[in-house]
Amino acid sequence: MNTDSPAQQPASSRVVLAEADINRALTRIAHEILEANKGSQDLVLLGIPRRGYPLARRLAAKIAAADPSVAADDIIGQLDVTMFRDDLRRHPTRTPLPTQLPAAGIDDKVVVLVDDVLYSGRTIRAALDALVDLGRPRIVRLAVLVDRGHRELPIRADHVGKNLPTSSVEKVRVRLAETDTNNGGPAADEVVIEDFSA
């Protein structure tokens, strides 16, 4: 996940994915999900707030466009992991967002967790813990827009928009029109690497 408010300004930043790149990556991921699942049967996409949820909504729309037998709203949900995180003592001010499951639930479903950036793996570990409280999926897969490496837990994404090898002094920022603003208006969709080494 992103860190939304860095304490210092980056020494440099560069856009590594623009809007068209993000759209192409999500289209590819949607088709990979359908192929891995052999269709849309029993499929549920659970987005992890904050940016994983709008990405999941976009994926659901692309899946519905590819398979007219499925309605995007029927397969989408949001999974808040705030209370399952292992860093609550250090960051106690996180505001939980509602967890919303599709009407059919997640029992015996193929659940695809969706997040923006895969980094240490701790957010996904928290998501797996949260799932245990909600039901028993048949399969759990992971789709991320960006995998930046530096894993601290044995977690791997099944579907990746882009692998971005980064150093520990760099931050990966995902900006989406649904969640971010630019001078009061919606931000352009982009993925930026910021270098804090200076």
Side-chain angles (χ1 to χ4, degrees), residues 3-131:
T3 303
D4 289 320
S5 52
Q8 64 192 58
Q9 292 297 315
S12 65
S13 67
R14 67 186 192 280
V15 175
V16 291
L17 291 175
E19 183 174 353
D21 303 315
I22 292 172
N23 187 54
R24 275 193 299 274
L26 292 176
T27 299
R28 180 172 45 77
I29 290 172
H31 286 282
E32 286 178 5
I33 289 170
L34 283 170
E35 184 176 340
N37 196 53
K38 297 179 174 54
S40 60
Q41 184 73 24
D42 295 328
L43 190 61
V44 172
L45 304 180
L46 292 182
I48 299 172
R50 198 164 88 121
R51 292 170 188 84
Y53 181 61
L55 290 173
R57 289 200 71 80
R58 293 185 194 189
L59 285 171
K62 289 178 182 294
I63 287 170
D67 183 352
S69 71
V70 64
D73 288 343
D74 292 345
I75 64 169
I76 188 72
Q78 177 171 269
L79 180 65
D80 183 76
V81 302
T82 303
M83 301 313 295
F84 295 88
R85 295 186 62 91
D86 62 6
D87 61 356
L88 279 177
R89 285 185 297 253
R90 285 185 280 170
H91 303 285
T93 58
R94 292 180 186 272
T95 302
L97 294 168
T99 288
Q100 302 164 333
L101 297 182
I106 62 169
D107 285 333
D108 206 33
K109 303 291 186 187
V110 176
V111 172
V112 180
L113 297 173
V114 181
D115 206 3
D116 56 349
V117 178
L118 178 58
Y119 183 35
S120 67
R122 293 183 181 276
T123 297
I124 304 308
R125 184 214 52 85
L128 293 170
D129 287 349
L131 274 181

